[in-house]
Amino acid sequence: MLTLILKEGAAPVTLQLGDDVIAIGRSKENNIVLKNIKASRRHARIERIGATYQITDLGSGNGTKVNGKKVDFQALNKGDEIAIGDARLTLKAIDEGPDAMDAIDDEIKIQDETDSELKIADDADTEKIEWSEAETEVQAPSVKPKAAPAKPGAGKPGAGPAPKPGLKKPLGKPGQK
């Protein structure tokens, strides 16, 4: 859990937040809604990473400062002051409760209600399946490229474009009207 003191306007407000992701900005969809016009609608986000928290600026117009220094992202510590426009968030406490992964025992025990030990199958209890690489290979179908149709007059110097089918050659000599 994170305890923040929000100073915006009149009296400071103490916020206790247990979410792993805390959105900050002017939009009503945020966990911490700021009335400050210098704050963007989606200004910054505080995320829990293990037992620590990190603040990330979400591309805001005026930026996010931690202890007076403009940051894109920053690990947070107890006593840090976050400035978003004219609003100030002071990190009062970080509850360092056990992380979800810390609660798992080093030794995992598997027990059945009727049997107190786990039986591992031996070769007599299992069916053997034989396979070969030849049975598992998949080959793509062969694709032969299509030959482009030969153009009439291609390869003859000065031949020019071939006449289109269905058109007649003009009568007379070239250059006559």
Side-chain angles (χ1 to χ4, degrees):
M1 183 176 297
L2 196 63
T3 304
L4 296 166
I5 298 174
L6 172 62
K7 296 175 190 170
E8 181 183 38
V13 178
T14 300
L15 305 169
Q16 291 189 338
L17 303 160
D19 297 330
D20 287 340
V21 178
I22 302 163
I24 307 168
R26 284 192 346 255
S27 174
K28 291 181 182 180
E29 286 87 33
N30 292 304
N31 301 88
I32 301 173
V33 178
L34 302 176
K35 298 172 188 165
N36 188 338
I37 193 69
K38 293 180 184 177
S40 299
R41 286 184 296 263
R42 290 178 7 101
H43 195 98
R45 174 180 62 228
I46 297 175
E47 295 176 272
R48 181 175 186 209
I49 301 172
T52 64
Y53 286 88
Q54 173 180 305
I55 188 162
T56 303
D57 184 85
L58 299 176
S60 64
N62 292 317
T64 302
K65 293 181 180 179
V66 176
N67 300 326
K69 180 183 172 191
K70 192 172 182 178
V71 297
D72 291 328
F73 59 91
Q74 168 90 28
L76 295 174
N77 298 304
K78 183 178 175 183
D80 283 348
E81 182 181 80
I82 302 164
I84 296 178
D86 295 329
R88 300 290 179 266
L89 290 159
T90 304
L91 184 55
K92 185 176 178 183
I94 297 176
D95 182 12
E96 297 176 4
D99 192 17
M101 293 306 291
D102 294 341
I104 298 175
D105 291 333
D106 290 337
E107 183 181 339
I108 298 174
K109 297 177 182 177
I110 300 174
Q111 291 185 345
D112 185 64
E113 291 178 5
T114 58
D115 216 1
S116 62
E117 69 180 69
L118 179 64
K119 181 181 178 187
I120 298 176
D122 59 12
D123 288 342
D125 295 337
T126 60
E127 177 184 349
K128 292 186 180 182
I129 300 173
E130 294 187 22
W131 59 277
S132 68
E133 287 185 28
E135 293 172 341
T136 59
E137 288 183 15
V138 177
Q139 293 187 1
S142 61
V143 178
K144 294 180 183 177
K146 293 183 179 179
K151 294 182 180 178
K156 295 181 185 175
K164 295 184 180 179
L167 296 179
K168 296 181 179 180
K169 290 186 180 180
L171 297 175
K173 295 182 183 176
Q176 289 183 346
K177 292 187 180 179

